Amino acid sequence: MSDGELIGSYIVPVHPHTVLAPEQNEGWGRLRAAYDAAAQRIKESEADLLIIYSTTWPSIIGHQIIADPNPEWVMVDHDFHELGSIPYSFNIDEKFAHAWNEANEKRGLKSRTVAYHGFPIDVGSVVALKLLNPDNAIPAVIVSSNVYANRAETTVLSKACMDVVKATGRKAVAITAMSLSNRMFTKPIEPKDDRIHSLKDDEWNRKILELLGEGRLEDVGQLSRTIHRQIRVNKVVAFKPMWWLSGMNSNRNNLTGEVLAYEALHGAGGAVVHLDPTPSGAGDIEYDEDDVEYFAGERNVLDGDQSENQYIESLSEESPVEVPQKNGPALWEPTESKDSVNSEAAPKPVGAYPHARRVGDLLYLSGVGPRQPGTNAIPGGPIHDKDGKPLNYDIKAQTQAVVDNITRILEEAGGTIDDVLDVTSFLVDMDRDFQGYNEVWAETLGQVGPTRTTLAVRALPTPIAVEMKVIAKAPKTE
Amino acid sequence: MSKGEIVAGCLAPHPPHLVYAENPPQNEPIAEGGWEQLRWGYERLRESLAGVDYDAIVLLSPHWQTYVGTHFLGLPKFKNLSVDPVFPNLFRYHYDLDIDVELAQQIHDRAADAGLAVTMMKNPDFRVDYGAITTGHMFNPSWDKPLVVISSNRSRDYYSVEVMQEMMIELGRVTREAILASGKKVVVIASNSLSHRHFTTESAIPEDMSKEHITSHAMHLWDMRMIEYFRTGQAQRILDEMPEFTEQAIAESDGGGLSWLLSTLDVPTYPGILHGYGTIIGTGNAIVEWPARNHKEASE
Ligand SMILES: [Fe+2]
């Protein structure tokens, strides 16, 4: 299977006028025409998945993903109920939704799927799916907008999504359902009187669209907080969709952008924008924000031991983050020789050695740590930053990740975790970590029953707290 | 026609966890209890009003959020399934509620005369928000009184707490006038929490009370300060401190409900009865009754 990829991105407006009343105002009609043109482009692109991030579905407990294969109901807008009702019946990619949910959890995010009869799909998602996917030909997924998520967390959300797009070979289109300026008139108006709420909002919208038209998505992502302060009503969801969309596009500034329409919707700025991944030939990447792989923010809030400091930290704009590529030794391709077993699904070595080697009926594994294959992120967080400053980390998450990596290597060799015979474990902090390590062991390898020796060591080559050396039964060769 | 009367004003919060924990037949998920302090508080509130005769409940819900003015449910009946978009695992409630459209229209008309932007909501497909349903259920599980449901105008988001409060005090004043002119006996309810910083994680069993506590000491101090004002009849101080409270405690009073409620009660100088206080996923919630019927001199 070829690697999946993002083949296009669209920014579309949320209010129901484009569905229910495009004929009542010329601008609304032009937005509708642009919506229809975008639908045509998506169809011609042969996309096989639509991914919607909607600002009109806020969440509190992590990230929620619709996983009902066929959500059906009738949507009525909280403000614009006089325009009428929108019955909907959508085609949701349940399997992708579950895979994204798992990918989120692997990257440290709190996440859950939602598949309840009668769940109210939000107005932004309903409008976007109705118009971009009129015959339900392309399966879709919808994710909520977490009210507490900062940029680090939102970036990790997009990376988890792309993990699944790539792994499942999809041709995906990313869609943010959102307003630009979102100040509406606070009184009912005649449709003919609609216009952008204020000159200042209009000027900002045009600046944003100028950047997007030049394909400079990451620049808009970096201006997000400023834009929010300038032209957004003080709501918690902020201008986050640009963080997510930029993350989905590898934080690029050289996309090919096109603004299909820009009009007022009851005073708010509504635009249809197409961003094509084809390089525009201009604009370098200027991504100087933390490129977070794994979310290590607020995790222990329920344990009742949080200090005031942690609380303030969780409210601040950026949580402590890691940059694993710069934190630890260089990575090597695993060495290839007769009888070596190497896996794409295991983390890259930090020297010239294979993942495992078969000798007779036995399989000897090189020391396995918790680093994630591909991203090199450390579940549970690294034990220190790149300057050596100690960080708080989760030994249980690290231990679980080690077991997962061992499983991958054994599966590559044609075996299973049940083949493990003998384990030597190395901990960098026996006093702090033995108990958590031992708990995960009991639930995993403890069930298999290998012999075990646990040692304390001063350090391991990467900023990890646990590593295991494994000898396993080699699977029968045919 | 005899003069209308507000028999009681209540602060009656709406986290769906309370309905979930009660296991009523209308709600699909099943719980092993939880949040008893608050549910007993609701029980005490219901007992306190058991012998009081009234015709309708007027309720302002922060989860019907409107940006284009204030809206009123404007049809006699709403029947549908309400699923909480944030806690769908806890709240999927089949509701069937009656609206006192006449009273809603009367409040609407007076608000329009006072220059407020108001709309009657007459779309039969409209789904009533889970906040209104939770408070409606916890306050009156038999649903045998008609409701007036008022949306939460997000003027605080547009302008400031001060502007929001000015508008809500005006809406409270016309609500009061309309009720007195209607000849009806009415309970007015603001449906909101106090401090409103949530946990961002949920325990595997949501009703596991060993995990429930306020999110921070600062939130606790603000909640206790407000409760002290409730209990000692210092409603004016609540209004005076509303901007700081709303911002520092991220309070759900940002939706205007509490300011509106105190205004319908003519800013009471008599004590409110605290029926219960507890936290729900870290947010602070108080159930308070102002027994206006016992303080007629204050309401005339
Ligand atoms: Fe609420």
Side-chain angles (χ1 to χ4, degrees), chain B residues 14 62-63 130 196 252:
Chain B
H14 59 260
H63 291 282
Y130 70 89
H196 206 236
E252 210 181 18

Side-chain angles (χ1 to χ4, degrees), chain A residues 117-161:
Chain A
H117 174 67
F119 183 87
I121 309 281
D122 62 285
V123 56
S125 299
V126 167
V127 168
L129 272 182
K130 272 264 163 191
L131 296 180
L132 293 178
N133 195 27
D135 48 9
N136 271 331
I138 309 170
V141 284
I142 304 170
V143 69
S144 65
S145 181
N146 183 286
V147 302
Y148 294 116
N150 55 18
R151 178 154 201 188
E153 183 167 356
T154 308
T155 298
V156 173
L157 176 71
S158 67
K159 290 187 176 180
C161 183

Side-chain angles (χ1 to χ4, degrees), chain A residues 60, chain B residues 13-16 62-63 65 130-131 191-193 196 198 252 285:
Chain A
I60 290 168
Chain B
H14 59 260
H63 291 282
Q65 304 196 344
Y130 70 89
S191 167
N192 59 257
S193 300
H196 206 236
H198 305 84
E252 210 181 18
N285 293 271

Side-chain angles (χ1 to χ4, degrees), chain B residues 9-135:
Chain B
C10 307
L11 179 63
H14 59 260
H17 306 64
L18 298 175
V19 166
Y20 165 68
E22 295 266 303
N23 289 314
Q26 297 99 322
N27 198 33
E28 291 175 6
I30 303 293
E32 298 178 294
W35 303 281
E36 282 75 9
Q37 296 295 337
L38 279 162
R39 294 196 288 123
W40 294 334
Y42 262 112
E43 210 171 277
R44 287 189 285 270
L45 172 61
R46 293 194 296 264
E47 275 163 18
S48 175
L49 287 164
V52 178
D53 181 38
Y54 63 94
D55 305 303
I57 299 162
V58 177
L59 183 156
L60 193 147
S61 169
H63 291 282
W64 179 12
Q65 304 196 344
T66 55
Y67 293 83
V68 189
T70 296
H71 300 225
F72 299 78
L73 290 186
L75 292 171
K77 219 173 201 346
F78 286 91
K79 187 175 175 189
N80 209 322
L81 170 65
S82 178
V83 180
D84 179 353
V86 175
F87 296 101
N89 52 327
L90 309 183
F91 193 83
R92 306 189 296 278
Y93 188 102
H94 298 264
Y95 64 88
D96 184 351
L97 58 91
D98 297 320
I99 299 296
D100 186 335
V101 180
E102 185 188 44
L103 182 57
Q105 187 76 49
Q106 287 161 350
I107 301 170
H108 166 280
D109 293 350
R110 279 181 188 261
D113 289 345
L116 296 167
V118 282
T119 308
M120 293 293 279
M121 205 305 297
K122 296 189 176 211
N123 187 323
D125 298 326
F126 185 84
R127 283 214 265 180
V128 179
D129 68 279
Y130 70 89
I133 298 198
T134 296
T135 292

Side-chain angles (χ1 to χ4, degrees), chain A residues 57 64 73 78-79 81 85 112 116 118 120 148 183-184 186-187 234-235 298 301-302 306 311 315, chain B residues 64 67-69 71 80 83 85-86 89 92 121 123 125 127 157-158 197-202 215 219:
Chain A
W57 181 19
Q64 301 195 114
W73 215 262
H78 276 182
D79 269 298
H81 39 77
S85 314
R112 69 179 169 210
Y116 299 110
Y148 294 116
R183 286 176 182 275
M184 294 192 285
T186 55
K187 292 189 157 80
N234 181 20
K235 262 173 74 176
E298 198 177 344
V301 69
L302 289 174
Q306 67 175 134
Y311 172 70
L315 279 182
Chain B
W64 179 12
Y67 293 83
V68 189
H71 300 225
N80 209 322
V83 180
V86 175
N89 52 327
R92 306 189 296 278
M121 205 305 297
N123 187 323
D125 298 326
R127 283 214 265 180
D157 296 334
Y158 268 88
R197 168 79 193 181
H198 305 84
F199 299 143
T200 57
T201 50
E202 189 177 56
T215 51
M219 297 291 159

